[in-house]
Amino acid sequence: MVRLNPVLGQIGSYAIATIQNRARRLREDGHPLVDFSIGDPREPTPSFIPKALKEAVPEISQYPTIMGLPALRQAIAGYVSRRFGVQVDPETEVLPTTGSKEAIFSTPLAFVDREAADGVIWATPGYPIYERGARLAGAVPFPITLPEDFRFRASLIPEPVWQSARIVWLNSPHNPAGVVIPLSDLARFRDMARRYEVLLCSDECYVDLYDHDPPISLLEEGGTEGALVYLSLSKRSGMTGYRSGAVVGDARAIAALKSLRTGTGTAPPEFTQAAAIAAWKDDRHVEERRLLFGRKRAIISRTMESLGYPTVGSEAGLYIWLKVGDDLAMTERLLEHGVVVSPGRLFGPGGEGYIRLALVPGLEECKQAAEVLKECLGGV
């Protein structure tokens, strides 16, 4: 008999996988689909990145170190300096990871004391991994339902929850709504976190995808003290399959994560690190990708707004967040016409009545999808 951790039953399967499985069945049955459901862009990875990886594949494969190559940590620190104007110590304040998802999931394991009933706070609707990691670490879950503007504010967290919390998750630009947390709100989060000795963890994996003003980082408000920032090359550089990211922040917290990861043996291969070094050092390819995503956003947003479905948030990041009324009915209607989207409720309470479109199809596919949307919804 196999006995399972009961928490697995409580959190269920990864919700987006359900949509993907249905889309896969339709595709296998010969139905043409334009898939906006999962954040996995299909533009080719810039050629200099796989070139760097191939050149670094060794004849003899050996274990990578948990802290990664010094050159990679230096490249990440260089990026942080250029992008945010913040100086970080690559020796003590930078930790390479195998993407941001696994690092976000495992972080509560390093800081939550389940015997003390430590809490983890996150905003909902939101990225499901915050909840999954918190619950499996034994934390008391504190989801905070966002208001209609989907802007997370420190004032939304009741004082008793602050008192019980060990970690607060921020996400800017926000997934799924694309809202950016302004500097004034980050300052308030900093004040409250210092007061209650709470670790601020900021998921900023979409911070380089924007149309207008660049989103700011938590590092720009208070530096690294009491904070961890999670970065990723997945969307910035088209490297989802490389599983390459980083955590930057408080040296004491980085040391704790290093200790945790030494036990799990979680470290990116050095040939992947070589590709990451090339990617973090280059900003030109990021600008090209940013402009392309902006063009795709404009096509879909304008089409949906012309049909009476307003864009909400969607200031930056990879997604368009649309108010549609019945999100399940809209998802079904679009799927019947070959357009795959994610109903908002998959991202937690507060997402009902919205759908999320990930800007992953190519530019021409987006143009084709716009025509399908007009045909499908034009008479509604």
Side-chain angles (χ1 to χ4, degrees), residues 108-188:
L109 294 172
F111 302 105
V112 165
D113 181 351
R114 65 177 64 205
E115 299 299 324
D118 285 344
V120 173
I121 300 170
W122 70 90
T124 178
Y127 188 31
I129 298 303
Y130 311 132
E131 176 177 7
R132 297 172 76 86
R135 289 187 181 274
L136 282 164
V140 177
F142 289 126
I144 304 296
T145 302
L146 295 173
E148 288 188 356
D149 63 0
F150 296 96
R151 183 167 151 187
F152 194 19
R153 300 169 176 86
S155 60
L156 294 172
I157 304 172
E159 185 173 0
V161 174
W162 275 111
Q163 292 171 343
S164 300
R166 177 66 61 184
I167 292 172
V168 172
W169 281 106
L170 307 179
N171 179 207
S172 181
H174 177 255
N175 175 14
V179 172
V180 174
I181 301 177
L183 188 65
S184 57
D185 285 355
L186 291 177
R188 184 59 176 159

Side-chain angles (χ1 to χ4, degrees), residues 5-16:
N5 183 336
V7 177
L8 283 176
Q10 296 169 18
I11 61 179
S13 60
Y14 194 53
I16 298 177

Side-chain angles (χ1 to χ4, degrees), residues 64-86:
T65 63
I66 296 301
M67 287 299 287
L69 297 170
L72 175 54
R73 286 184 274 114
Q74 291 162 7
I76 295 166
Y79 160 79
V80 170
S81 176
R82 296 192 313 276
R83 176 66 176 80
F84 306 124
V86 176

Side-chain angles (χ1 to χ4, degrees), residues 227-261:
L228 291 172
V229 166
Y230 295 71
L231 303 169
S232 174
L233 291 172
S234 290
K235 281 71 176 183
R236 176 189 185 272
S237 299
M239 295 174 61
T240 54
Y242 288 65
R243 311 312 302 134
S244 187
V247 186
V248 178
D250 190 297
R252 296 161 298 178
I254 291 291
L257 291 178
K258 177 184 176 182
S259 178
L260 170 69
R261 296 165 76 83

Side-chain angles (χ1 to χ4, degrees), residues 29 57 65 68 73 105 149 203 212 274 285 302-303 318 330 358:
D29 289 339
V57 175
T65 63
R73 286 184 274 114
F105 174 84
D149 63 0
D203 176 3
H212 303 293
H285 76 285
R302 290 171 185 168
T303 298
L318 188 66
M330 177 62 78

